[in-house]
Amino acid sequence: MSDALADWKPDVLGVEGKVLPVVTAPAGVLSSEGAEVDPADPAVVQLAADLVATMRVSPGCVGLAAPQVGVGAQVFVVDVTEHPKTVTAHGTFVLCNARVVEASRWRPGREGCMSVPDLTGDVKRAGRVVVEAVLPGTGEPVRLTTDAFEARALQHEIDHCAGKLFLDRVAGAHAIYQRKVYL
């Protein structure tokens, strides 16, 4: 992990985040690829702060991408720290223009999504990933290596930025389930 990410905290954004409404499928923004962003753009910095604020008030939420709040941009927040399946956690962080550059240890796992509130599904994802991205505000490049649940969360949010939902990754209808627990 880069030192820049280790030192990053949401307060470095310097703006207060607003809680935004979360859009649900079939909203078009969820199936369109988000635009790459200028991480120093004040609108992107505000969006980063808004994503953090919205995630923090959403019970059980471990990640949130810009398309989920109606913005077609490659920006997302992740924080798996409190989740019981977490092995590795890097705290709360926001990434822009993220790409998976290495992926291994593929295995299926159950996923849910605030934008698909009534369903969960079994999705095969890498259990170990290396992600390259830039931080909002500074534009500083980061390279993050992680595994297990945090790796799954990163891939889920990167998919949102690419216009994909977890439903696009399930093996078929047999791997989709009604959500049993509402948070």
Side-chain angles (χ1 to χ4, degrees):
M1 174 180 66
S2 76
D3 291 337
L5 185 58
D7 296 337
W8 195 90
K9 303 286 181 257
D11 60 339
V12 304
L13 295 170
V15 294
E16 188 170 333
K18 298 180 292 295
V19 175
L20 302 175
V22 174
V23 300
T24 57
V29 69
L30 295 171
S31 59
S32 300
E33 185 170 353
E36 286 198 9
V37 299
D38 172 358
D41 181 333
V44 172
V45 173
Q46 183 63 59
L47 175 60
D50 294 346
L51 289 169
V52 172
T54 305
M55 181 184 71
R56 285 187 170 157
V57 301
S58 304
C61 183
V62 297
L64 189 66
Q68 293 182 272
V69 295
V71 180
Q74 294 184 26
V75 182
F76 64 85
V77 60
V78 166
D79 185 356
V80 300
T81 306
E82 300 298 320
H83 197 278
K85 292 182 181 175
T86 296
V87 175
T88 302
H90 292 92
T92 303
F93 57 90
V94 178
L95 298 178
C96 302
N97 308 328
R99 299 281 179 266
V100 175
V101 296
E102 293 178 32
S104 61
R105 302 182 197 157
W106 294 82
R107 53 183 58 101
R110 185 71 52 93
E111 293 185 20
C113 180
M114 289 177 61
S115 292
V116 187
D118 296 326
L119 301 173
T120 63
D122 292 334
V123 179
K124 191 173 186 179
R125 297 216 191 252
R128 181 191 176 280
V129 295
V130 177
V131 172
E132 292 181 348
V134 292
L135 294 173
T138 65
E140 196 162 352
V142 295
R143 183 175 172 97
L144 170 66
T145 301
T146 192
D147 59 14
F149 190 70
E150 189 174 63
R152 179 169 296 277
L154 281 165
Q155 292 167 90
H156 182 105
E157 301 311 326
I158 290 169
D159 271 357
H160 273 302
C161 293
K164 298 204 177 303
L165 296 171
F166 75 89
L167 295 174
D168 298 314
R169 299 263 186 217
V170 297
H174 66 280
I176 300 172
Y177 309 91
Q178 286 289 316
R179 185 181 292 274
K180 293 181 182 171
V181 177
Y182 289 87
L183 300 173

